[in-house]
Amino acid sequence: MTATWEPTTPGVLRLPSGRFIRGRGLRRPLPPGPQPTFALYLLGHRPPPVAWENRWIRWPDFWLPSDRAATADALREAWARAEAERVEIACAGGQGRTGTALACLAVLDGVPRQRAVAYVREHYARRAVETPWQRHYVSRFQ
């Protein structure tokens, strides 16, 4: 049995493969409905404890991840788990780092790198991926 997000869940991005991933900002309260089964938190500091399995990637606001190899590994894990689990990607505001990670997941899902930011802005949040270096990171993500 799978435990994925419903297409109508707020903040959920549907990837071309049919995987659903919820993006959100941790400054806002946890949305109603089912909890994630796995989360990837993109913050400059350790996130508060949660009841579900999670990974933390040190990623300062408006910048890039501190460890790019660990980040790529964590993004690949999130993408793979989204096939059958409720995966959440979150940073403080839910736009820049979260949008960048979602665009990288879109690349893993087959969206061309040069279209990934536009895909996330169209299907998740129009202000996703906030800085030029975040856009550049997506354009080079493999």
mmCIF file of all heavy atoms in Angstrom, residues 1-6 12-13 18-22 34-39 52-54 77-88:
data_model
loop_
_atom_site.group_PDB
_atom_site.id
_atom_site.type_symbol
_atom_site.label_atom_id
_atom_site.label_comp_id
_atom_site.label_asym_id
_atom_site.label_seq_id
_atom_site.Cartn_x
_atom_site.Cartn_y
_atom_site.Cartn_z
ATOM 1 N N MET A 1 0.841 -1.190 0.000
ATOM 2 C CA MET A 1 0.000 0.000 0.000
ATOM 3 C C MET A 1 0.879 1.243 0.000
ATOM 4 O O MET A 1 1.849 1.334 0.738
ATOM 5 C CB MET A 1 -0.888 -0.002 1.242
ATOM 6 C CG MET A 1 -1.797 1.187 1.328
ATOM 7 S SD MET A 1 -2.862 1.039 2.775
ATOM 8 C CE MET A 1 -3.172 2.735 3.059
ATOM 9 N N THR A 2 0.538 2.208 -0.819
ATOM 10 C CA THR A 2 1.313 3.439 -0.873
ATOM 11 C C THR A 2 0.682 4.495 0.022
ATOM 12 O O THR A 2 -0.499 4.457 0.327
ATOM 13 C CB THR A 2 1.397 3.985 -2.313
ATOM 14 O OG1 THR A 2 0.079 4.267 -2.759
ATOM 15 C CG2 THR A 2 2.070 2.995 -3.233
ATOM 16 N N ALA A 3 1.504 5.438 0.430
ATOM 17 C CA ALA A 3 1.047 6.536 1.273
ATOM 18 C C ALA A 3 1.548 7.841 0.670
ATOM 19 O O ALA A 3 2.452 8.459 1.187
ATOM 20 C CB ALA A 3 1.576 6.355 2.696
ATOM 21 N N THR A 4 1.004 8.216 -0.477
ATOM 22 C CA THR A 4 1.446 9.451 -1.122
ATOM 23 C C THR A 4 0.452 10.563 -0.862
ATOM 24 O O THR A 4 -0.622 10.350 -0.310
ATOM 25 C CB THR A 4 1.617 9.248 -2.649
ATOM 26 O OG1 THR A 4 0.351 8.924 -3.206
ATOM 27 C CG2 THR A 4 2.619 8.157 -2.949
ATOM 28 N N TRP A 5 0.810 11.765 -1.250
ATOM 29 C CA TRP A 5 -0.064 12.921 -1.079
ATOM 30 C C TRP A 5 -1.218 12.858 -2.065
ATOM 31 O O TRP A 5 -1.091 12.315 -3.152
ATOM 32 C CB TRP A 5 0.707 14.222 -1.330
ATOM 33 C CG TRP A 5 1.847 14.446 -0.398
ATOM 34 C CD1 TRP A 5 3.173 14.399 -0.719
ATOM 35 C CD2 TRP A 5 1.787 14.746 0.995
ATOM 36 N NE1 TRP A 5 3.929 14.657 0.379
ATOM 37 C CE2 TRP A 5 3.106 14.880 1.458
ATOM 38 C CE3 TRP A 5 0.746 14.917 1.897
ATOM 39 C CZ2 TRP A 5 3.419 15.183 2.781
ATOM 40 C CZ3 TRP A 5 1.056 15.215 3.218
ATOM 41 C CH2 TRP A 5 2.368 15.345 3.652
ATOM 42 N N GLU A 6 -2.304 13.479 -1.698
ATOM 43 C CA GLU A 6 -3.423 13.676 -2.616
ATOM 44 C C GLU A 6 -3.080 14.856 -3.521
ATOM 45 O O GLU A 6 -2.438 15.815 -3.077
ATOM 46 C CB GLU A 6 -4.709 13.986 -1.835
ATOM 47 C CG GLU A 6 -5.206 12.828 -1.000
ATOM 48 C CD GLU A 6 -5.630 11.649 -1.836
ATOM 49 O OE1 GLU A 6 -6.243 11.868 -2.905
ATOM 50 O OE2 GLU A 6 -5.336 10.517 -1.444
ATOM 51 N N VAL A 12 1.491 20.880 -2.776
ATOM 52 C CA VAL A 12 2.012 19.654 -3.382
ATOM 53 C C VAL A 12 2.344 19.882 -4.853
ATOM 54 O O VAL A 12 1.535 20.400 -5.611
ATOM 55 C CB VAL A 12 1.015 18.487 -3.218
ATOM 56 C CG1 VAL A 12 1.414 17.299 -4.070
ATOM 57 C CG2 VAL A 12 0.928 18.082 -1.760
ATOM 58 N N LEU A 13 3.552 19.506 -5.221
ATOM 59 C CA LEU A 13 4.009 19.551 -6.609
ATOM 60 C C LEU A 13 3.858 18.164 -7.208
ATOM 61 O O LEU A 13 4.316 17.176 -6.619
ATOM 62 C CB LEU A 13 5.485 19.973 -6.658
ATOM 63 C CG LEU A 13 6.173 19.857 -8.020
ATOM 64 C CD1 LEU A 13 5.620 20.886 -9.004
ATOM 65 C CD2 LEU A 13 7.673 19.997 -7.873
ATOM 66 N N GLY A 18 4.288 11.432 -12.012
ATOM 67 C CA GLY A 18 3.141 11.179 -11.143
ATOM 68 C C GLY A 18 3.488 11.205 -9.668
ATOM 69 O O GLY A 18 2.605 11.096 -8.822
ATOM 70 N N ARG A 19 4.761 11.356 -9.344
ATOM 71 C CA ARG A 19 5.148 11.495 -7.939
ATOM 72 C C ARG A 19 4.631 12.837 -7.416
ATOM 73 O O ARG A 19 4.655 13.830 -8.127
ATOM 74 C CB ARG A 19 6.665 11.456 -7.786
ATOM 75 C CG ARG A 19 7.288 10.107 -7.983
ATOM 76 C CD ARG A 19 8.820 10.259 -7.981
ATOM 77 N NE ARG A 19 9.503 8.998 -7.888
ATOM 78 C CZ ARG A 19 9.856 8.251 -8.917
ATOM 79 N NH1 ARG A 19 9.569 8.638 -10.147
ATOM 80 N NH2 ARG A 19 10.488 7.113 -8.746
ATOM 81 N N PHE A 20 4.215 12.846 -6.140
ATOM 82 C CA PHE A 20 3.773 14.066 -5.475
ATOM 83 C C PHE A 20 4.734 14.376 -4.334
ATOM 84 O O PHE A 20 5.054 13.489 -3.538
ATOM 85 C CB PHE A 20 2.364 13.900 -4.887
ATOM 86 C CG PHE A 20 1.301 13.692 -5.921
ATOM 87 C CD1 PHE A 20 0.809 12.424 -6.190
ATOM 88 C CD2 PHE A 20 0.784 14.772 -6.620
ATOM 89 C CE1 PHE A 20 -0.183 12.233 -7.139
ATOM 90 C CE2 PHE A 20 -0.208 14.595 -7.576
ATOM 91 C CZ PHE A 20 -0.685 13.314 -7.833
ATOM 92 N N ILE A 21 5.171 15.635 -4.242
ATOM 93 C CA ILE A 21 6.061 16.064 -3.171
ATOM 94 C C ILE A 21 5.523 17.369 -2.619
ATOM 95 O O ILE A 21 5.231 18.301 -3.372
ATOM 96 C CB ILE A 21 7.503 16.244 -3.678
ATOM 97 C CG1 ILE A 21 8.007 14.913 -4.235
ATOM 98 C CG2 ILE A 21 8.401 16.763 -2.567
ATOM 99 C CD1 ILE A 21 9.361 14.942 -4.837
ATOM 100 N N ARG A 22 5.401 17.426 -1.291
ATOM 101 C CA ARG A 22 4.901 18.658 -0.673
ATOM 102 C C ARG A 22 6.064 19.565 -0.317
ATOM 103 O O ARG A 22 7.022 19.155 0.317
ATOM 104 C CB ARG A 22 4.097 18.352 0.592
ATOM 105 C CG ARG A 22 3.559 19.643 1.227
ATOM 106 C CD ARG A 22 2.604 19.376 2.352
ATOM 107 N NE ARG A 22 3.312 18.967 3.553
ATOM 108 C CZ ARG A 22 2.686 18.581 4.670
ATOM 109 N NH1 ARG A 22 1.368 18.536 4.706
ATOM 110 N NH2 ARG A 22 3.372 18.225 5.722
ATOM 111 N N PRO A 34 -2.746 14.488 6.492
ATOM 112 C CA PRO A 34 -1.737 13.499 6.859
ATOM 113 C C PRO A 34 -0.355 14.119 7.013
ATOM 114 O O PRO A 34 -0.027 15.109 6.365
ATOM 115 C CB PRO A 34 -1.750 12.499 5.708
ATOM 116 C CG PRO A 34 -2.592 13.072 4.641
ATOM 117 C CD PRO A 34 -3.326 14.248 5.186
ATOM 118 N N GLN A 35 0.431 13.512 7.870
ATOM 119 C CA GLN A 35 1.810 13.949 8.074
ATOM 120 C C GLN A 35 2.707 13.288 7.030
ATOM 121 O O GLN A 35 2.369 12.251 6.468
ATOM 122 C CB GLN A 35 2.277 13.555 9.467
ATOM 123 C CG GLN A 35 1.533 14.243 10.564
ATOM 124 C CD GLN A 35 2.013 13.797 11.939
ATOM 125 O OE1 GLN A 35 2.636 12.757 12.095
ATOM 126 N NE2 GLN A 35 1.714 14.602 12.934
ATOM 127 N N PRO A 36 3.868 13.894 6.796
ATOM 128 C CA PRO A 36 4.821 13.244 5.888
ATOM 129 C C PRO A 36 5.311 11.931 6.503
ATOM 130 O O PRO A 36 5.279 11.752 7.719
ATOM 131 C CB PRO A 36 5.966 14.244 5.773
ATOM 132 C CG PRO A 36 5.693 15.340 6.709
ATOM 133 C CD PRO A 36 4.360 15.149 7.321
ATOM 134 N N THR A 37 5.760 11.033 5.667
ATOM 135 C CA THR A 37 6.443 9.840 6.156
ATOM 136 C C THR A 37 7.956 10.051 6.115
ATOM 137 O O THR A 37 8.692 9.376 6.814
ATOM 138 C CB THR A 37 6.062 8.592 5.336
ATOM 139 O OG1 THR A 37 6.267 8.870 3.950
ATOM 140 C CG2 THR A 37 4.610 8.216 5.572
ATOM 141 N N PHE A 38 8.391 11.015 5.284
ATOM 142 C CA PHE A 38 9.803 11.383 5.195
ATOM 143 C C PHE A 38 9.888 12.855 4.831
ATOM 144 O O PHE A 38 9.107 13.344 4.015
ATOM 145 C CB PHE A 38 10.518 10.555 4.120
ATOM 146 C CG PHE A 38 11.949 10.952 3.908
ATOM 147 C CD1 PHE A 38 12.927 10.616 4.826
ATOM 148 C CD2 PHE A 38 12.318 11.689 2.794
ATOM 149 C CE1 PHE A 38 14.253 10.997 4.638
ATOM 150 C CE2 PHE A 38 13.640 12.068 2.588
ATOM 151 C CZ PHE A 38 14.611 11.715 3.514
ATOM 152 N N ALA A 39 10.832 13.564 5.438
ATOM 153 C CA ALA A 39 11.008 14.985 5.135
ATOM 154 C C ALA A 39 12.482 15.305 4.967
ATOM 155 O O ALA A 39 13.345 14.694 5.599
ATOM 156 C CB ALA A 39 10.411 15.846 6.235
ATOM 157 N N TRP A 52 8.258 12.157 12.302
ATOM 158 C CA TRP A 52 8.490 11.341 11.115
ATOM 159 C C TRP A 52 9.980 11.336 10.775
ATOM 160 O O TRP A 52 10.742 12.200 11.205
ATOM 161 C CB TRP A 52 7.667 11.846 9.934
ATOM 162 C CG TRP A 52 7.729 13.332 9.750
ATOM 163 C CD1 TRP A 52 8.656 14.040 9.039
ATOM 164 C CD2 TRP A 52 6.848 14.299 10.318
ATOM 165 N NE1 TRP A 52 8.392 15.388 9.119
ATOM 166 C CE2 TRP A 52 7.282 15.572 9.904
ATOM 167 C CE3 TRP A 52 5.717 14.211 11.130
ATOM 168 C CZ2 TRP A 52 6.648 16.750 10.274
ATOM 169 C CZ3 TRP A 52 5.081 15.392 11.506
ATOM 170 C CH2 TRP A 52 5.553 16.634 11.069
ATOM 171 N N GLU A 53 10.354 10.369 9.961
ATOM 172 C CA GLU A 53 11.742 10.259 9.532
ATOM 173 C C GLU A 53 12.124 11.492 8.722
ATOM 174 O O GLU A 53 11.327 12.000 7.922
ATOM 175 C CB GLU A 53 11.902 8.997 8.689
ATOM 176 C CG GLU A 53 13.322 8.676 8.342
ATOM 177 C CD GLU A 53 13.460 7.415 7.506
ATOM 178 O OE1 GLU A 53 12.460 6.681 7.315
ATOM 179 O OE2 GLU A 53 14.578 7.175 7.031
ATOM 180 N N ASN A 54 13.354 11.982 8.929
ATOM 181 C CA ASN A 54 13.772 13.187 8.209
ATOM 182 C C ASN A 54 15.289 13.238 8.091
ATOM 183 O O ASN A 54 15.999 12.552 8.803
ATOM 184 C CB ASN A 54 13.222 14.439 8.886
ATOM 185 C CG ASN A 54 13.796 14.654 10.267
ATOM 186 O OD1 ASN A 54 14.840 15.272 10.414
ATOM 187 N ND2 ASN A 54 13.124 14.123 11.292
ATOM 188 N N GLU A 77 17.299 10.430 -2.668
ATOM 189 C CA GLU A 77 16.507 9.632 -1.730
ATOM 190 C C GLU A 77 15.068 10.137 -1.674
ATOM 191 O O GLU A 77 14.116 9.347 -1.725
ATOM 192 C CB GLU A 77 17.122 9.667 -0.329
ATOM 193 C CG GLU A 77 16.301 8.890 0.680
ATOM 194 C CD GLU A 77 16.831 8.952 2.101
ATOM 195 O OE1 GLU A 77 17.836 9.645 2.361
ATOM 196 O OE2 GLU A 77 16.213 8.302 2.969
ATOM 197 N N ALA A 78 14.884 11.452 -1.568
ATOM 198 C CA ALA A 78 13.534 12.025 -1.516
ATOM 199 C C ALA A 78 12.750 11.684 -2.781
ATOM 200 O O ALA A 78 11.577 11.302 -2.714
ATOM 201 C CB ALA A 78 13.613 13.539 -1.323
ATOM 202 N N TRP A 79 13.389 11.821 -3.937
ATOM 203 C CA TRP A 79 12.713 11.516 -5.205
ATOM 204 C C TRP A 79 12.292 10.047 -5.255
ATOM 205 O O TRP A 79 11.168 9.722 -5.628
ATOM 206 C CB TRP A 79 13.631 11.863 -6.382
ATOM 207 C CG TRP A 79 13.035 11.540 -7.704
ATOM 208 C CD1 TRP A 79 12.115 12.281 -8.400
ATOM 209 C CD2 TRP A 79 13.286 10.377 -8.493
ATOM 210 N NE1 TRP A 79 11.794 11.636 -9.571
ATOM 211 C CE2 TRP A 79 12.495 10.475 -9.648
ATOM 212 C CE3 TRP A 79 14.111 9.264 -8.326
ATOM 213 C CZ2 TRP A 79 12.514 9.494 -10.644
ATOM 214 C CZ3 TRP A 79 14.129 8.296 -9.310
ATOM 215 C CH2 TRP A 79 13.333 8.416 -10.455
ATOM 216 N N ALA A 80 13.188 9.155 -4.875
ATOM 217 C CA ALA A 80 12.878 7.721 -4.902
ATOM 218 C C ALA A 80 11.746 7.388 -3.928
ATOM 219 O O ALA A 80 10.825 6.635 -4.270
ATOM 220 C CB ALA A 80 14.131 6.900 -4.576
ATOM 221 N N ARG A 81 11.794 7.950 -2.739
ATOM 222 C CA ARG A 81 10.782 7.638 -1.734
ATOM 223 C C ARG A 81 9.417 8.212 -2.101
ATOM 224 O O ARG A 81 8.389 7.675 -1.691
ATOM 225 C CB ARG A 81 11.241 8.136 -0.371
ATOM 226 C CG ARG A 81 12.454 7.351 0.127
ATOM 227 C CD ARG A 81 12.957 7.852 1.437
ATOM 228 N NE ARG A 81 12.055 7.393 2.492
ATOM 229 C CZ ARG A 81 12.425 7.236 3.753
ATOM 230 N NH1 ARG A 81 13.674 7.458 4.123
ATOM 231 N NH2 ARG A 81 11.550 6.839 4.655
ATOM 232 N N ALA A 82 9.399 9.284 -2.886
ATOM 233 C CA ALA A 82 8.125 9.912 -3.261
ATOM 234 C C ALA A 82 7.267 9.009 -4.136
ATOM 235 O O ALA A 82 6.071 9.256 -4.286
ATOM 236 C CB ALA A 82 8.383 11.240 -3.976
ATOM 237 N N GLU A 83 7.842 7.965 -4.673
ATOM 238 C CA GLU A 83 7.060 7.039 -5.485
ATOM 239 C C GLU A 83 5.983 6.340 -4.645
ATOM 240 O O GLU A 83 4.907 6.028 -5.144
ATOM 241 C CB GLU A 83 7.963 6.012 -6.146
ATOM 242 C CG GLU A 83 7.221 5.120 -7.118
ATOM 243 C CD GLU A 83 8.148 4.253 -7.938
ATOM 244 O OE1 GLU A 83 9.310 4.040 -7.536
ATOM 245 O OE2 GLU A 83 7.702 3.794 -9.004
ATOM 246 N N ALA A 84 6.273 6.115 -3.349
ATOM 247 C CA ALA A 84 5.335 5.363 -2.509
ATOM 248 C C ALA A 84 5.100 5.991 -1.142
ATOM 249 O O ALA A 84 4.361 5.439 -0.340
ATOM 250 C CB ALA A 84 5.849 3.935 -2.324
ATOM 251 N N GLU A 85 5.730 7.138 -0.868
ATOM 252 C CA GLU A 85 5.617 7.756 0.454
ATOM 253 C C GLU A 85 5.229 9.226 0.333
ATOM 254 O O GLU A 85 5.384 9.833 -0.713
ATOM 255 C CB GLU A 85 6.949 7.656 1.203
ATOM 256 C CG GLU A 85 7.402 6.243 1.481
ATOM 257 C CD GLU A 85 8.724 6.219 2.217
ATOM 258 O OE1 GLU A 85 8.857 6.929 3.235
ATOM 259 O OE2 GLU A 85 9.632 5.496 1.769
ATOM 260 N N ARG A 86 4.776 9.802 1.462
ATOM 261 C CA ARG A 86 4.497 11.239 1.534
ATOM 262 C C ARG A 86 5.800 11.951 1.894
ATOM 263 O O ARG A 86 6.235 11.923 3.039
ATOM 264 C CB ARG A 86 3.412 11.526 2.574
ATOM 265 C CG ARG A 86 2.019 11.123 2.131
ATOM 266 C CD ARG A 86 0.959 11.560 3.126
ATOM 267 N NE ARG A 86 1.185 11.037 4.455
ATOM 268 C CZ ARG A 86 0.765 9.854 4.908
ATOM 269 N NH1 ARG A 86 0.071 9.053 4.110
ATOM 270 N NH2 ARG A 86 1.032 9.475 6.133
ATOM 271 N N VAL A 87 6.413 12.559 0.907
ATOM 272 C CA VAL A 87 7.689 13.245 1.086
ATOM 273 C C VAL A 87 7.441 14.746 1.142
ATOM 274 O O VAL A 87 6.689 15.300 0.340
ATOM 275 C CB VAL A 87 8.664 12.905 -0.063
ATOM 276 C CG1 VAL A 87 9.930 13.741 0.018
ATOM 277 C CG2 VAL A 87 8.992 11.421 -0.034
ATOM 278 N N GLU A 88 8.098 15.385 2.097
ATOM 279 C CA GLU A 88 8.007 16.835 2.270
ATOM 280 C C GLU A 88 9.405 17.426 2.138
ATOM 281 O O GLU A 88 10.366 16.875 2.661
ATOM 282 C CB GLU A 88 7.448 17.143 3.662
ATOM 283 C CG GLU A 88 7.508 18.613 4.030
ATOM 284 C CD GLU A 88 6.876 18.881 5.380
ATOM 285 O OE1 GLU A 88 7.588 18.804 6.396
ATOM 286 O OE2 GLU A 88 5.664 19.148 5.399
#
